[in-house]
Amino acid sequence: MTEAHLNFSVQQSFRDAMASCAAGVHVITTDGEAGRYGITMTAVTPVTDEPPTVMLCINQKSSIIPILSANQYLCINVLSAQQQDVAEHFAGITKLSPEERFEYHIWHRGETGQLQVEGALAHLHGKVTAQHQVGTHYVFYVDIMEIKAYHSSEPALVYFRRHFGSLA
């Protein structure tokens, strides 16, 4: 076996193993001088609550990287199970353009001016304070400046084994 084949095998095994980890689904939005953009993500992890900090891991090929790096501000929209269409739009599954994705949902702005999708379970507005590259991804550290958590009986949208589902 060649080294390239072994690396592919390890990469595929890693991806398959990670697909077995259920994860909450989020849409990350950013709007500013560099433009407006949004993507669906599961690689969103709390780091600490003092100060509130979240880590995002985004593939270096993603179109949001230069926009987010320039804008610095973002909103993490924690999606409910009823918002699978939002997740699909911002994941590119529905083939809408990045601009059209914002036309299919109701948006409001938080105190930082970032777009938040109506009906989400929570909105976390923040500013990127650090970033670095690890392998094929950029890791962004986001200081959370505004938090809106809604007390809803709506289940969360999750992603498990490459399919959307719900979690009460």
Side-chain angles (χ1 to χ4, degrees), residues 63-133:
S63 298
I64 200 173
I65 297 293
I67 299 167
L68 182 57
S69 296
N71 287 347
Q72 296 290 297
Y73 290 91
L74 59 84
C75 178
I76 301 168
N77 296 276
V78 182
L79 300 185
S80 76
Q82 296 299 314
Q83 295 179 303
Q84 182 174 331
D85 61 334
V86 179
E88 290 173 349
H89 290 164
F90 284 87
I93 294 170
T94 59
K95 306 301 183 205
L96 295 174
S97 71
E99 298 80 23
E100 291 172 321
R101 296 171 188 174
F102 286 96
E103 295 173 12
Y104 283 82
H105 312 286
I106 298 171
W107 298 91
H108 303 284
R109 291 199 184 264
E111 294 171 17
T112 63
Q114 295 305 302
L115 291 164
Q116 57 189 36
V117 66
E118 185 173 285
L121 299 176
H123 301 109
L124 296 104
H125 295 262
K127 181 179 182 185
V128 174
T129 56
Q131 73 183 63
H132 63 274
Q133 189 173 356

Side-chain angles (χ1 to χ4, degrees), residues 13-68:
S13 294
F14 180 76
R15 290 176 184 164
D16 291 345
M18 292 298 98
S20 295
C21 299
V25 180
H26 312 82
V27 166
I28 309 304
T29 56
T30 184
D31 192 13
E33 287 187 23
R36 177 174 69 177
Y37 205 86
I39 62 169
T40 299
M41 291 187 61
T42 56
V44 176
T45 306
V47 176
T48 180
D49 64 355
E50 195 175 314
T53 305
V54 174
M55 179 177 68
L56 310 175
C57 298
I58 307 173
N59 189 294
Q60 66 186 358
K61 295 177 184 174
S62 175
S63 298
I64 200 173
I65 297 293
I67 299 167
L68 182 57

Side-chain angles (χ1 to χ4, degrees), residues 139-151:
V139 178
F140 290 87
Y141 295 93
V142 180
D143 282 359
I144 302 301
M145 305 156 56
E146 177 186 356
I147 302 168
K148 294 179 182 175
Y150 305 98
H151 301 287

